């Protein structure tokens, strides 16, 4: 664990995932990314995200969102809060990661930064591999 948390630049939340990467996961063309900055989120700093929505919504709302939900989280505290029934710990990504199949989401802790990738409305089964790839790319861009 580093002495201080990773410094996070939140000027461009959509740098976490590109439109091409979002399209590859969703399986259809996407609109421009929608950045959101939430401001201070308590003792762990600001949160921000970027969402990509499918161009064709005739089949329903299809969105991928990648978020940084705070920085400076102590691993033990974060891990205890994240462990639930029916979650899968995922090796090889960040310091620790969990996949939530019922929520189509992956939460990752890397050097105190809480990263989340979430899919809504994807009709094929959401794979751990797809979310792991998105999170790995986002980690490189934090």
């Amino acid at each position: 664990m580093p002495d201080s948390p990773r410094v996070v630049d939140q000027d461009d939340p959509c740098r976490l995932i590109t439109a091409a990467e979002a399209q590859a996961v969703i399986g259809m063309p996407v609109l421009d990314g929608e950045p959101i900055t939430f401001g201070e989120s308590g003792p762990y700093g600001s949160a921000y995200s970027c969402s990509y929505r499918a161009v064709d919504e005739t089949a329903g709302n299809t969105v991928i969102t990648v978020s940084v939900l705070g920085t400076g989280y102590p691993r033990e505290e974060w891990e205890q809060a994240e462990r639930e029934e029916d979650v899968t710990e995922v090796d090889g990504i960040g310091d620790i990661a969990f996949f939530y199949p019922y929520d189509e989401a992956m939460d990752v802790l890397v050097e105190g930064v809480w990263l989340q990738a979430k899919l809504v409305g994807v009709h094929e089964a959401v794979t751990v591999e797809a979310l792991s790839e998105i999170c790995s790319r986002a980690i490189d861009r934090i």
Side-chain angles (χ1 to χ4, degrees):
M1 176 67 104
D3 294 334
S4 59
R6 183 182 276 221
V7 175
V8 177
D9 173 16
Q10 60 188 34
D11 288 339
D12 180 14
C14 290
R15 78 182 180 297
L16 295 172
I17 179 177
T18 68
E21 292 162 347
Q23 181 174 320
V25 171
I26 290 175
M28 58 186 89
V30 297
L31 298 169
D32 289 340
E34 300 171 27
I36 298 172
T37 300
F38 301 101
E40 290 300 312
S41 60
Y44 299 111
S46 299
Y48 60 92
S49 69
C50 185
S51 296
Y52 288 91
R53 185 174 309 281
V55 171
D56 179 7
E57 292 189 3
T58 58
N61 189 22
T62 303
V63 180
I64 183 167
T65 301
V66 178
S67 307
V68 168
L69 299 174
T71 60
Y73 280 89
R75 179 181 169 142
E76 297 77 25
E77 180 180 324
W78 184 88
E79 185 176 352
Q80 182 178 6
E82 288 292 305
R83 287 202 182 272
E84 298 177 16
E85 237 179 270
D86 300 325
V87 300
T88 304
E89 189 168 342
V90 180
D91 293 328
I93 181 162
D95 298 330
I96 188 167
F98 296 101
F99 174 66
Y100 300 84
Y102 55 86
D103 204 20
E104 299 178 321
M106 181 174 287
D107 284 3
V108 178
L109 187 70
V110 59
E111 295 178 16
V113 176
W114 178 5
L115 178 74
Q116 182 181 74
K118 183 171 181 153
L119 290 163
V120 174
V122 175
H123 300 292
E124 293 90 35
V126 176
T127 66
V128 172
E129 292 79 17
L131 287 175
S132 294
E133 178 67 24
I134 290 298
C135 287
S136 292
R137 291 174 185 257
I139 286 168
D140 291 341
R141 297 175 185 144
I142 292 176

